């Protein structure tokens, strides 16, 4: 099946620093990738939709200057948490939509997630 | 917007069947999905059902869809300890909406 990787899997950083998380589709091309945030014992919250070659679409309440998204190629999207603060600590998960296969191209395949801890 | 609801917790004995339920509000989705999340991991696509089907069986998994009642269920036969995880139903509308997830605990 379609595989999505994320790097790093875990990151600890100091408050005020920036952290970049990579999301890669390994065996398929993805014009659209999604970034989610998951709080403990809660569902996934969609942060933004990343479109290859264009600007990301952010959900209401998500600061685009705080969470920078770049989708420079059909297999890579990056999320940069700028000037991270402890409240940004969370589990960040990306997903990619495989338009070449899957039922009606709607299926999203998820990365393993990145645990961010801001001290 | 879309609203997807699931119960939070289900506990079953190993070898029994598990049934995880989901209700949703929008019925225009072509496919509906079940994902599994193990601790500290991302979501794994478990199965899906086409919206014009009532049932889909895939080995130990059976998905039932009642479009009239907007009810989706996932049945796991012969539940094993390795099935312990959080299960999310997902309904694509304008964007994919996930339920809050049902934590399945399998008791040996």
């Amino acid at each position: 099946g379609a595989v999505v990787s994320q790097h790093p899997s875990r990151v600890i950083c100091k408050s005020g620093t920036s952290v970049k998380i990579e999301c890669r589709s390994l065996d398929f091309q993805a014009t659209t990738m999604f970034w989610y945030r998951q709080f403990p014992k809660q569902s996934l919250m969609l942060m933004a939709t990343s479109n290859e070659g264009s600007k990301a679409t952010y959900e209401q309440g998500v600061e685009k200057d705080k969470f920078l998204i770049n989708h420079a190629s059909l297999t890579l999207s990056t999320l940069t948490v700028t000037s991270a603060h402890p409240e940004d600590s969370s589990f960040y998960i990306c997903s990619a939509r495989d338009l070449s296969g899957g039922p009606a191209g709607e299926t999203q395949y998820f990365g393993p997630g990145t645990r961010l801890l801001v001290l | 917007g879309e609203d997807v609801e699931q119960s939070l917790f289900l506990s079953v004995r190993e070898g029994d069947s598990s049934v995880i339920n989901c209700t949703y509000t929008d019925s225009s989705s072509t496919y509906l999905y079940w994902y599994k999340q193990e601790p500290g991991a991302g979501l794994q696509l478990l199965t899906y059902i086409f919206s014009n089907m009532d049932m889909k069986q895939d080995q130990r998994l059976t998905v039932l869809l009642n479009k009239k009642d907007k009810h989706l269920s996932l049945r796991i036969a012969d539940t094993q300890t390795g099935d312990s995880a959080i299960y999310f139903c997902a309904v694509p509308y304008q964007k994919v909406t996930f339920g809050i997830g049902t934590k399945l605990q399998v008791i040996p």
Side-chain angles (χ1 to χ4, degrees), chain A residues 34 36 38 41-44 46 59 91 93 97 102-113 115, chain B residues 8 29-33 35 37 40-45 48 86 88 92 94-96 98-101:
Chain A
F34 304 87
Y36 293 85
Q38 186 179 33
K41 298 183 180 180
Q42 291 191 27
S43 188
L44 289 82
L46 178 64
E59 295 299 303
F91 192 51
I93 308 176
R97 184 182 285 165
E106 292 178 10
T107 303
Q108 289 187 37
Y109 297 94
F110 285 81
R115 178 76 59 190
Chain B
L8 288 178
S29 304
T30 305
Y31 293 92
L32 298 94
Y33 300 85
Y35 287 88
Q37 185 180 30
L43 274 70
Q44 169 196 351
L45 177 65
Y48 62 89
I86 299 176
F88 293 92
Q94 293 169 346
K95 58 187 180 186
V96 177
F98 291 87
I100 198 167

Side-chain angles (χ1 to χ4, degrees), chain A residues 49-68:
Chain A
T49 302
S50 171
N51 302 298
E52 187 267 337
S54 64
K55 290 183 180 180
T57 305
Y58 289 81
E59 295 299 303
Q60 192 172 9
V62 178
E63 299 175 60
K64 61 181 181 182
D65 294 330
K66 173 109 179 126
F67 299 99
L68 299 178

Side-chain angles (χ1 to χ4, degrees), chain A residues 3-70:
Chain A
V3 179
V4 176
S5 70
Q6 273 184 250
H7 178 79
S9 57
R10 269 178 196 276
V11 57
I12 301 173
C13 68
K14 291 183 178 179
S15 187
T17 61
S18 294
V19 174
K20 181 187 282 188
I21 303 170
E22 293 185 350
C23 176
R24 292 181 187 273
S25 55
L26 298 185
D27 50 2
F28 66 98
Q29 293 185 328
T31 55
T32 305
M33 291 183 171
F34 304 87
W35 287 96
Y36 293 85
R37 184 171 177 178
Q38 186 179 33
F39 295 97
K41 298 183 180 180
Q42 291 191 27
S43 188
L44 289 82
M45 181 192 81
L46 178 64
M47 298 175 66
T49 302
S50 171
N51 302 298
E52 187 267 337
S54 64
K55 290 183 180 180
T57 305
Y58 289 81
E59 295 299 303
Q60 192 172 9
V62 178
E63 299 175 60
K64 61 181 181 182
D65 294 330
K66 173 109 179 126
F67 299 99
L68 299 178
I69 291 172
N70 184 279

